Amino acid sequence: MPVPWLGLSNGGAFQPGREDRGLLCSQHGGLVDRSGGTATCPEAVEREIYALGLGIAEFRRGTEGQVLPVPDSRLNRRISAATVIDFSGPARASALLATKFSGLGTRTRGTLVGSAIVCTPWGTCLHGEGDFLPFVGRGIDTLPRHGAKALAGLQRYGLRAGHQSLCRWEHAGKQDLFARWNAAVAGATAAHDYRNIANTFGWVVETDPFNPESVPAKRTALGRLKQAELWMVPAEVGQPITILMRDAEDKETRYRYVSRALWNPADSGKGQSAGSKYLDEGHLQLACRDAQGELAWTTLRHGRLGLDMANADYPFTNQADVLINARLAADQIRTACAAQRVL
């Protein structure tokens, strides 16, 4: 996997190919397992929340060839488990992303880094969010769950009633910084609690390292998984941007995203504006085998191959439903392909 390095010009802009000065994007992981009942000190939990996530740091090559950090760079930055992040693409403003923090489902807070970080040809970095179960709990609901459909989505991603997170952040106090990690239904609507908190994780997140004031974006067109691996196919002029992904858990599958827009080198250095062009409109596809055993890709598109309201296991209302519950959509596609031998 290529090092997530972005060349930095003397003027502070993206300079592809520069090796003696640049920005390095890195994961900040670590998991405190309190499943045995370890005390959840609010101060310690707060430190963990702000420590977890993504780091961006400037480095320069010294006179003797050594690579040195630049501690006072204005571009040094942390994207933590509490940073405000926008949703973009087809699932933005979906009711399934609504929370007490963003009743319209247009924003969220925090990222949980799970897969490799890759750099884009337009000068941003992408990372995939991994398993949220160690961080998100689901206490006993104080109000009835809103229907079998919501339950199906939660259970397919492993968040069952009574689930206690390993970190137990949800038990550190009543402040919103901690309470938001509890997916139990406690309010009249999703805008009054965090029943949808799990739906806000599992995305590919784009960050512009060259603009420290920018708000990262969760690119929902790429689907919601428990991201284990992320690759960007080298861009070719006049061809779509292609990104390969793999779900972390056993018996899951591989996916790819193919942009609708075709790569134009004039977009190099345009940051997240180019990201919106290439990552907000495209096709999420599932790896399948045809009747001859050959690999083929099938698009997860609402209204096709059972991804519709008539689906008995999960009634898909729209494309946002398909992307937020990509695992359920993939289950249906595999069943349909096996029955119809259509890919």
Side-chain angles (χ1 to χ4, degrees):
M1 182 67 65
V3 174
W5 172 270
L6 292 159
L8 179 64
S9 73
N10 292 337
F14 177 45
Q15 183 177 337
R18 183 166 186 176
E19 297 182 354
D20 64 326
R21 183 186 181 193
L23 300 177
L24 183 67
C25 305
S26 60
Q27 299 182 43
H28 292 270
L31 175 64
V32 177
D33 184 348
R34 297 189 178 91
S35 59
T38 306
T40 49
C41 170
E43 292 78 11
V45 169
E46 185 172 1
R47 286 195 298 269
E48 293 164 15
I49 289 172
Y50 284 104
L52 193 70
L54 178 74
I56 298 167
E58 180 180 344
F59 286 83
R60 298 187 186 186
R61 192 174 298 281
T63 56
E64 299 181 0
Q66 70 274 42
V67 178
L68 303 173
V70 183
D72 59 350
S73 171
R74 71 177 185 87
L75 299 177
N76 292 344
R77 185 182 183 191
R78 294 294 302 273
I79 311 297
S80 75
T83 300
V84 174
I85 301 178
D86 285 335
F87 287 113
S88 71
R92 176 180 169 84
S94 166
L96 295 179
L97 296 178
T99 63
K100 187 177 179 180
F101 175 72
S102 175
L104 296 178
T106 58
R107 300 192 120 183
T108 187
R109 285 171 296 177
T111 186
L112 304 172
V113 180
S115 64
I117 301 170
V118 298
C119 298
T120 69
W122 49 89
T124 63
C125 62
L126 305 177
H127 73 270
E129 298 180 310
D131 188 4
F132 54 79
L133 291 179
F135 307 95
V136 175
R138 183 181 160 206
I140 303 302
D141 300 336
T142 58
L143 294 174
R145 173 63 61 178
H146 291 174
K149 180 175 177 178
L151 282 173
L154 286 170
Q155 291 171 357
R156 185 61 180 85
Y157 285 81
L159 191 58
R160 294 174 174 82
H163 171 76
Q164 299 291 317
S165 71
L166 293 178
C167 290
R168 298 178 68 83
W169 288 350
E170 70 274 27
H171 297 289
K174 295 182 179 180
Q175 301 97 311
D176 200 62
L177 181 68
F178 311 128
R180 63 180 291 252
W181 300 97
N182 186 350
V185 174
T189 71
H192 295 87
D193 56 32
Y194 288 99
R195 70 188 68 178
N196 288 331
I197 186 66
N199 293 343
T200 69
F201 293 109
W203 303 102
V204 172
V205 184
E206 181 175 37
T207 302
D208 187 346
F210 298 94
N211 182 2
E213 304 303 320
S214 63
V215 177
K218 299 201 179 191
R219 301 295 188 184
T220 65
L222 281 72
R224 175 175 162 260
L225 315 171
K226 292 183 179 179
Q227 301 278 354
E229 296 172 351
L230 187 69
W231 303 271
M232 173 167 279
V233 176
E236 296 184 22
V237 177
Q239 297 297 315
I241 294 295
T242 301
I243 298 172
L244 304 176
M245 298 166 285
R246 183 176 68 83
D247 197 299
E249 295 185 357
D250 292 342
K251 299 182 181 180
E252 299 298 337
T253 188
R254 294 183 181 273
Y255 300 77
R256 76 175 181 183
Y257 170 82
V258 181
S259 68
R260 181 173 297 174
L262 306 181
W263 171 239
N264 183 347
D267 289 326
S268 177
K270 290 189 176 179
Q272 283 179 265
S273 63
S276 297
K277 174 181 177 180
Y278 294 104
L279 302 181
D280 282 349
E281 293 188 32
H283 306 290
L284 178 64
Q285 300 179 330
L286 177 74
C288 295
R289 296 284 178 183
D290 63 18
Q292 288 72 44
E294 297 294 326
L295 178 66
W297 295 95
T298 303
T299 299
L300 278 64
R301 182 183 300 125
H302 182 255
R304 181 173 180 265
L305 295 178
L307 300 181
D308 52 36
M309 286 291 293
N311 190 296
D313 295 323
Y314 187 90
F316 294 93
T317 303
N318 49 32
Q319 185 64 12
D321 237 359
V322 170
L323 296 169
I324 292 170
N325 289 287
R327 279 185 171 182
L328 286 165
D331 293 344
Q332 170 59 31
I333 291 294
R334 283 192 291 258
T335 298
C337 289
Q340 302 177 25
R341 300 201 180 278
V342 175
L343 291 171

